[in-house]
Amino acid sequence: MSSVGHDDSLDATYLAELAAVNVRVQAPGDPPLFTATPSSPMRPVHWRWTDLEKIVSELDQHLNLSADGARRTLKLTNPGLEFGTTPTFWMSIQYIRPGEVATAHRHTPTAFRFVMQGHGCFTTVDGESYEMNEGDLVLTPSLTWHDHVHHGDAPMVWIDVLDISLVRSLHATFFELYKEEVQEPQPIPDTSFRMFGTGLLRAGPALPPSAVNPLLTYPRSDSIRALDYARGLPADPVDDVIVEHINPTNGSSALTTLSTKRQLLRPGFRGTTRRNLGSKVYWVVDGSGVTHVGDHRFEWSKGDFFAIPPWTDHCHENPYSAEASLFRVDDSPVYEKLGLYREETS
């Protein structure tokens, strides 16, 4: 066989010979191994609540809860990705009716719930049980048993996020059903919150810093208080007023692979443009604003979601007279732990 000089001279017979012994060379038409800047197929997406509200309210007419652990969820899909909302996580909207039980299971993907509407559902995580109310954040670290029992009198809606896209790409997915439908809560069902919930004073013995956060719930009232304190600090040039839920034992993000944040954009704010590695999705808690994502201009309002791909220019502004409140999840902890995180502002 003649020697191969340039890629253009590669022929189908030669490539087939290589494939037969499970090897290959860079061939014409192959995507480049290296690019000058990151290139992601993920697309910017804006999901309007005016489009979603009726669909969410009618989910129970099409989907039932089942004993195999399946939940009643509406997944936010990205048209550029085969799987997930972003390259690392999947965001869904979960709907549960009064009296329903979402049975106990566990899995390797890390997850959390952020309550959009309603009150009265109790989530039990490894024996700790917490009531979920609007604006609360409840964590489900990897391989913790968890179930949901709704004792309220009206349907509840919350955001579910799992880093399942990342875990699937690592071929590390495990799933297991609990021996009963629900767990029996511990004698002190809110132990971790009693120990760490104040964030300022510790109850009980000192614990060494832990990658797995012992604190499982972050009530809305604490987030609002933190934002009120942060108002007195200089405005963040990109995000205005922003706070992050953290692991109280080491100050890192509350979850090992996901960062959750609350944010305020005050009237008249226009942020600096930023691009960074990692993907993020926002949910609009209240108010209205505008976010520029690459060539897209998303005019968002209460209840909307919008997604920003990796290394994509974006900036926020609030041209209105009322304050806007946002909840955000991003995968920056993954990039930071791998030593890959990078951002630029302009």
Side-chain angles (χ1 to χ4, degrees):
M1 179 180 297
S2 61
S3 62
V4 176
H6 191 270
D7 281 351
D8 291 341
S9 65
L10 294 175
D11 59 55
T13 301
Y14 174 67
L15 295 176
E17 290 175 358
L18 297 182
V21 291
N22 298 311
V23 294
R24 65 174 301 151
V25 295
Q26 188 77 5
D30 285 351
L33 293 177
F34 298 96
T35 56
T37 59
S39 176
S40 174
M42 178 184 169
R43 300 182 195 171
V45 183
H46 180 192
W47 297 268
R48 297 183 183 277
W49 186 242
T50 52
D51 297 327
L52 299 179
E53 186 173 16
K54 185 174 186 292
I55 298 172
V56 171
S57 68
E58 295 176 349
L59 275 178
D60 63 331
Q61 300 176 29
H62 304 278
L63 298 172
N64 293 315
L65 299 184
S66 60
D68 64 0
R71 310 311 199 204
R72 184 187 293 113
T73 58
L74 182 71
K75 297 177 174 63
L76 303 184
T77 61
N78 191 284
L81 300 174
E82 182 180 357
F83 184 91
T85 311
T86 84
T88 57
F89 62 86
W90 205 328
M91 178 177 282
S92 303
I93 303 170
Q94 183 164 168
Y95 180 99
I96 187 168
R97 296 181 302 207
E100 287 191 318
V101 175
T103 55
H105 62 220
R106 67 176 180 174
H107 39 65
T108 39
T110 290
F112 71 77
R113 334 284 161 198
F114 185 81
V115 183
M116 299 169 62
Q117 300 173 11
H119 64 277
C121 185
F122 280 77
T123 290
T124 302
V125 181
D126 270 0
E128 292 199 30
S129 187
Y130 295 95
E131 184 176 1
M132 298 169 64
N133 298 303
E134 187 172 319
D136 292 351
L137 173 70
V138 178
L139 309 184
T140 309
S142 176
L143 288 178
T144 53
W145 297 107
H146 54 283
D147 55 75
H148 317 303
V149 182
H150 191 5
H151 297 296
D153 56 7
M156 283 191 67
V157 180
W158 64 72
I159 295 168
D160 270 344
V161 173
L162 295 90
D163 63 359
I164 190 168
S165 305
L166 173 65
V167 174
R168 285 180 84 250
S169 70
L170 296 172
H171 298 191
T173 304
F174 289 88
F175 176 89
E176 184 180 1
L177 289 172
Y178 193 63
K179 59 186 177 182
E180 307 288 346
E181 279 197 345
V182 297
Q183 305 166 69
E184 183 70 27
Q186 299 172 2
I188 303 175
D190 55 352
T191 298
S192 71
F193 188 75
R194 289 178 180 273
M195 293 179 67
F196 300 102
T198 69
L200 298 174
L201 302 171
R202 185 185 68 243
L207 296 178
S210 171
V212 178
N213 186 359
L215 185 59
L216 297 174
T217 186
Y218 296 77
R220 174 183 180 273
S221 57
D222 290 348
S223 299
I224 297 302
R225 185 167 68 251
L227 285 168
D228 285 341
Y229 283 133
R231 291 173 193 273
L233 299 172
D236 183 284
V238 175
D239 295 314
D240 198 6
V241 181
I242 188 164
V243 296
E244 181 180 11
H245 303 95
I246 63 168
N247 177 338
T249 70
N250 61 13
S252 66
S253 298
L255 291 165
T256 55
T257 56
L258 298 167
S259 171
T260 54
K261 300 177 172 75
R262 293 293 304 268
Q263 182 173 350
L264 298 175
L265 300 180
R266 290 170 286 198
F269 176 79
R270 181 177 177 85
T272 300
T273 298
R274 173 173 60 193
R275 61 179 178 176
N276 59 279
L277 282 180
S279 51
K280 62 192 76 164
V281 178
Y282 292 82
W283 179 61
V284 183
V285 180
D286 203 9
S288 300
V290 178
T291 297
H292 303 266
V293 186
D295 296 329
H296 300 266
R297 186 178 190 270
F298 295 152
E299 297 185 30
W300 41 261
S301 57
K302 183 176 180 178
D304 289 5
F305 297 81
F306 57 95
I308 300 177
W311 208 246
T312 302
D313 286 343
H314 59 281
C315 65
H316 307 294
E317 61 176 303
N318 181 357
Y320 306 108
S321 59
E323 192 170 76
S325 175
L326 300 166
F327 172 78
R328 165 178 145 191
V329 55
D330 64 64
D331 51 14
S332 57
V334 175
Y335 292 82
E336 290 165 352
K337 288 179 175 65
L338 294 174
L340 296 174
Y341 186 77
R342 180 184 295 192
E343 70 174 56
E344 292 178 353
T345 57
S346 58

